[in-house]
Amino acid sequence: MKPTPWLFFAGLAGLVAISPRPVHTQEPGFLQAALARPVLGTDQALQENRTFVEARLAKMPAVTTRKEWEQERERIRQAVLNEVIFRGEARRWRKARSRVEWLDTMEGGPGYRIRKVRYEALPGVWIPALLYEPENLSGKVPVVLNVNGHDGQGKAAGYKQIRCINQAKRGMLALNVEWFGMGQLRTEGYNHGLINGLDLCGTGGIATHYLAMQRGLDLLLSLEHADPKRVAVTGLSGGGWQTIFISSLDPRVTLTDPVAGYSSYFTRTRHASDLGDSEQTPCDLGKTADYAHLTAMMAPRPTLLTYNLKDNCCFASGHALPPLLQAAGPIFKLYGKEGHLRSHVNENPGDHNYLQDNRQALYRMLGDHFYTGRSDYRAEEIPSDPEIKTPEQLNVPLPEGNKDFRTLSLEISAKFPRYPALYLERPKAQAKLERIVRYRDYPVTATKVGEEAKNGIRAVYWKLRMGEDWTVPAVELSQGQPKGTAMVFADGGRKSAEKLVSRQLAAGNRVLALDPLHLGEAVPGDPRRSYLWGLMVGTVGERPLGLQAAQVTATARWARNEFGGQRVTLAASGPRTTTTALVAGGLEREAIARLELEGALGSFREVLDRGVPFVQAPEVFCFGLYEAFDIPQLKELAGPARVRLTGPPAFSLDLLAREHPAPQSCGGCETEKR
């Protein structure tokens, strides 16, 4: 049996810190104190990330007519479907035939039964589901897709069962579907952070989530009594995110009620509680459409935005709801359907919930739009607690070998990297890498912010301004007359690189220890949540790996000019920074002389095989990188003779992730409820 990723990486973490040769000694504490001394201002890294992301987020279009909006709406929809969701292998998944297998039928309660069913969301990935079916059906009736949130009970969660039961007792066909990572699909292979492994392979990881919902709608609308004019979707938290995502992009949905499930990206940059994990912040979505756009795209279809007043997880009504209404309201007005856009704020209990008050808001919405004029329709909840079933009773058998995110990525990457002829001509390979990582040249403006010396060791503190976007903190350390310059950076930040720095000083080099984007002092906000900013950078069309490499190469060019024209050595420790160093070394040969890499990956396949989630190495999951370049190809591009590898060629645990484990949450904003 393979070791779990966390234990495996923890075991290697100590190995990569071992020095293969003696280190120079100096007064205890001075070097460490110099490396740990703050250079940036308070919250400067966080503010720079906000500014960078906000400048690149899609803005609501200025339209004044329905025709203008509908043209814009279709443009956005096609761009999201074709340029965000269905990329790479996902194009084939989109065209694949989905199989549906009906299993047992069980007694539900008065007036309805429960049919067990499983359906194929994409080839080899089966979703267990339950159809709550009214007895004695005739004619066409409304259908409701009920999606899950981040609740470990999944489709067996009591509040969700009550909602589906009430829909069936009102004569609707209610489909209760399982979500990846929850309920019966609660396995490590469905960790939501693993969809970024598909991104690494050049396939839209978000397509797995979208197809699971789309195939659920296909199933519902294939039923004999399904009314295609009355199709609703609803869910809580991560289910609220699913609700708006499928409802806005699939015109078959005619009514939607996302509950405490999302806010606009602009809201998220100012409210850390709302920063969403991998599926909520898919690569390149934000440059095409904000969640404000997705909300407006519901017009004129009935839309109920349900939020909670004192939400203890995310998306509290006070800050999440107003920007969405402000964006979508004018679009609904273009259709003369202002009343189709509604909101409901739950005050009691007011926390993260889809309890009776919120459920009754849904029943009212369904009654007003699906049962217009029916005097016998009631919005009050029908008591049904005794009819709640156990997870065991609701278990839906799944086929052997059901695929998950990890196995899908391994399957796709079996013959990677592609394009073997690419590496025969270095300029073409370099241009390809630049496009993949979204590389740019930054001019550097350097500001010295401090200097001190002790027992022959001189420390100079620098702020290196990268164009108008970033400030990289750096500490210059020297002893005597340096023979050369080494740039040092590490997965744990420069304060964890004391041994690397000591080694370079002992070799007679000047050392420039820096913290590129999202490392060390450049971590934005809470270190436990900094990976969420990696997702935000990716969603606006940029790549953390490319930005890190750009900062490193720009610093190398500046250092060469600043320190006498000598080319510099890059010294990095850990799988994150060594990957960045390889990219930088391949793209900048004039200023970078050699690379000394400790604990580098041997192949990106290690990341996929070990099931490494995005949180541990945000920059490594660069969209499409593995499809074109593996570590050996990056080494070849950097120049094999210039690259020296030490330490185990395998993935080691991100030091920050170990020191600051991600907090648990009940909602869809960061981590799964386990």
Side-chain angles (χ1 to χ4, degrees), residues 600-673:
L601 289 167
S603 168
F604 289 126
R605 192 167 181 85
E606 296 170 25
V607 175
L608 306 180
D609 190 50
R610 294 289 175 181
V612 179
F614 184 87
V615 60
Q616 288 191 29
E619 52 285 293
V620 170
F621 295 95
C622 180
F623 195 97
L625 179 60
Y626 189 17
E627 186 177 18
F629 297 89
D630 199 0
I631 297 298
Q633 285 73 40
L634 291 176
K635 182 180 175 183
E636 181 71 26
L637 191 59
R642 304 192 315 143
V643 180
R644 178 175 178 269
L645 300 176
T646 62
F651 203 93
S652 62
L653 181 63
D654 173 12
L655 298 177
L656 287 179
R658 284 199 296 120
E659 294 172 2
H660 306 285
Q664 294 298 300
S665 168
C666 63
C669 51
E670 53 183 59
T671 53
E672 297 171 3
K673 180 181 180 182

Side-chain angles (χ1 to χ4, degrees), residues 198-261:
L198 293 164
D199 288 350
L200 177 62
C201 297
T203 288
I206 189 61
T208 56
H209 289 272
Y210 187 83
L211 285 169
M213 294 181 279
Q214 185 183 61
R215 303 305 190 204
L217 285 175
D218 292 346
L219 189 161
L220 269 173
L221 289 170
S222 71
L223 300 174
E224 177 185 358
H225 296 286
D227 184 352
K229 295 181 180 179
R230 293 183 288 174
V231 181
V233 184
T234 190
L236 166 68
S237 191
W241 164 77
Q242 291 177 82
T243 298
I244 194 60
F245 201 67
I246 189 66
S247 299
S248 60
L249 297 171
D250 194 323
R252 295 177 298 175
V253 178
T254 63
L255 183 150
T256 192
D257 180 14
V259 179

Side-chain angles (χ1 to χ4, degrees), residues 543-559:
R543 304 291 182 258
L545 178 62
L547 290 171
Q548 285 184 354
Q551 292 177 357
V552 169
T553 56
T555 302
R557 290 191 294 270
W558 170 79

Side-chain angles (χ1 to χ4, degrees), residues 35-48:
L35 291 170
R37 174 174 161 172
V39 173
L40 299 180
T42 303
D43 289 334
Q44 184 174 349
L46 176 60
Q47 184 55 50
E48 288 183 358

Side-chain angles (χ1 to χ4, degrees), residues 439-455:
Y439 178 76
R440 69 188 66 200
D441 285 331
Y442 274 124
V444 175
T445 303
T447 303
K448 187 185 296 186
V449 294
E451 183 176 351
E452 59 183 328
K454 201 166 191 178
N455 292 350

